[in-house]
Amino acid sequence: MVREDPRTFRYGLLITVLITGGLLWPLAQADWWRSRTDATGYTLVEESLTDIGGAAFLWFAGAALLAYAVATWPVRFRRAATVAGLVASAGTLIVWTVLLLRVLRREEQAHQGWAPRVWERRSDVSGRMLAETGADGFTSAIMVLGLLALIGCLLFFGRRHERTVLIVATMVVAVAGVLTARVREWVASGPATAEVVGRWPDGWFTGRLTVVILAVLVLMFAVTLRLRPGQSGAVKWGMLVAVCSFVAFYLIMFDTVEKPPLYPYSADETTALPTNPGINVAGLLLLSMYLPLPVAIRVACIDRFRRAPEPPRPEPVPDDVVAGDMVPDDVVPDDVLPDDVVPANIDTPTGRPV
């Protein structure tokens, strides 16, 4: 862990902590379990985080944010506060994983129970049976988990490596967001069976604008990583990356509105077997929409106000050293006589001192 100057106030991280804390309230109200079916009449079930027994997620996240907030202030125990925040963040991740596994088992039971009715109505002229499950809260929670990890890394490595941590984290989130954007679907393959299938959206790696935009942003941030604060053109390049990140936010948003993987709610009626959407967790893709712009702005500010380290200057000659005491440049070390040797009178035949 890099030792942080106790006199440094990390006000930028404190703002990030407050923003992350503001996400907890809507996160608690989101649907962490949702099911819709018309097997025996239309039924809609929606449960929040507390309804599925996930209050511990809020407690751990709140504790992590409180510890991080303390670590941003110029106090002596900021290292201990940072470690406490990292431990609480790890607890938040563990609770999220346990809740996800529990909800996935519940989803399996629900679709297996609907399978006979879904299979029976697979050829119904009035339309296939509605049997959908979802959990938007898990997707939104990944944004909180990602911000907790980012804040912890920034506090752990200190301001000296802040620029590198921000750029690397943005690149990792963008790549992971593309690779984890898989859609879960439940296919009724028999009179009483339902199988889950995970796939990327149609044309995800060949024609979707979101993947192309994130790939370009990763390359631009890679170039930014090669530059150094104070280097010629670093500030202008940083502003260009910020503008591109701003435009990319809206392009990705328009490309993912009511489309998989962020909104996979429409049942596929074109397949031979009945297919219904399942729980989809694509929070890293959602985080990759919001993270590049503030990171690009912060990096541009660092490049603008933080100068590159200057080369070391030669040590000055002390004032008590006169020019006569200095050895000329054309005298090699072997020609310098020790202090206890008296110069000889070269005019005498024997060469002895006078």
Side-chain angles (χ1 to χ4, degrees), residues 202-217:
D202 295 336
W204 183 243
F205 292 103
T206 57
R208 287 294 290 271
L209 184 61
T210 298
V211 178
V212 176
I213 293 174
L214 291 178
V216 173
L217 287 181

Side-chain angles (χ1 to χ4, degrees), residues 3 29 33 60 64 72 90 114 117 119 126-127 132 145 157 194 203 207 227 233 253 273 325 329:
R3 183 179 296 274
Q29 305 301 319
W33 167 258
F60 274 104
T72 59
W114 295 335
R117 185 61 176 162
W119 183 259
S126 61
E132 297 180 356
L145 293 173
F157 291 103
L227 300 176
M253 182 180 65
L273 297 176
D325 297 333
D329 297 336

Side-chain angles (χ1 to χ4, degrees), residues 16-290:
T16 307
V17 169
L18 296 177
I19 294 175
T20 307
L23 298 176
L24 295 182
W25 173 254
L27 183 63
Q29 305 301 319
D31 297 332
W32 288 66
W33 167 258
R34 186 191 66 258
S35 63
R36 295 195 304 169
T37 180
D38 59 354
T40 57
Y42 180 77
T43 303
L44 173 63
V45 178
E46 295 178 342
E47 297 182 5
S48 63
L49 178 60
T50 55
D51 294 333
I52 65 173
F57 180 90
L58 298 177
W59 285 107
F60 274 104
L65 292 174
L66 180 60
Y68 288 153
V70 173
T72 59
W73 288 83
V75 293
R76 294 183 178 180
F77 50 87
R78 68 190 317 171
R79 297 182 63 187
T82 301
V83 174
L86 291 172
V87 173
S89 299
T92 308
L93 177 60
I94 294 174
V95 173
W96 180 86
T97 304
V98 172
L99 293 175
L100 180 61
L101 295 177
R102 185 187 305 172
V103 170
L104 291 179
R105 287 195 300 266
R106 181 178 179 180
E107 180 192 36
E108 181 180 3
Q109 296 173 359
H111 282 276
Q112 293 292 350
W114 295 335
R117 185 61 176 162
V118 171
W119 183 259
E120 179 182 349
R121 292 178 52 180
R122 67 186 185 280
S123 301
D124 195 336
V125 294
S126 61
R128 292 179 177 178
M129 172 183 160
L130 178 65
E132 297 180 356
T133 53
D136 296 340
F138 286 95
T139 297
S140 302
I142 293 183
M143 296 187 61
V144 175
L145 293 173
L147 291 175
L148 288 177
L150 179 61
I151 296 171
C153 290
L154 291 174
L155 288 172
F156 185 83
F157 291 103
R159 295 192 64 179
R160 180 180 179 182
H161 303 286
E162 177 182 5
R163 185 178 185 273
T164 302
V165 171
L166 286 173
I167 296 175
V168 172
T170 305
M171 296 170 62
V172 170
V173 168
V175 174
V178 171
L179 297 179
T180 58
R182 293 176 62 85
V183 179
R184 283 169 52 90
E185 296 177 334
W186 286 89
V187 181
S189 56
T193 58
E195 300 176 357
V196 63
V197 177
R199 63 176 181 83
W200 283 289
D202 295 336
W204 183 243
F205 292 103
T206 57
R208 287 294 290 271
L209 184 61
T210 298
V211 178
V212 176
I213 293 174
L214 291 178
V216 173
L217 287 181
V218 169
L219 294 177
M220 297 185 73
F221 276 104
V223 175
T224 306
L225 188 62
R226 297 286 298 177
L227 300 176
R228 291 292 179 267
Q231 188 173 349
S232 177
V235 177
K236 295 181 179 180
W237 176 258
M239 295 306 299
L240 177 62
V241 175
V243 173
C244 293
S245 300
F246 178 77
V247 176
F249 169 80
Y250 290 98
L251 293 178
I252 295 176
M253 182 180 65
F254 294 148
D255 186 51
T256 55
V257 169
E258 298 182 354
K259 291 182 181 180
L262 292 182
Y263 299 93
Y265 298 146
S266 58
D268 190 356
E269 299 287 349
T270 62
T271 57
L273 297 176
T275 304
N276 292 284
I279 293 178
N280 181 45
V281 181
L284 290 177
L285 180 63
L286 192 62
L287 182 60
S288 64
M289 293 173 54
Y290 295 91

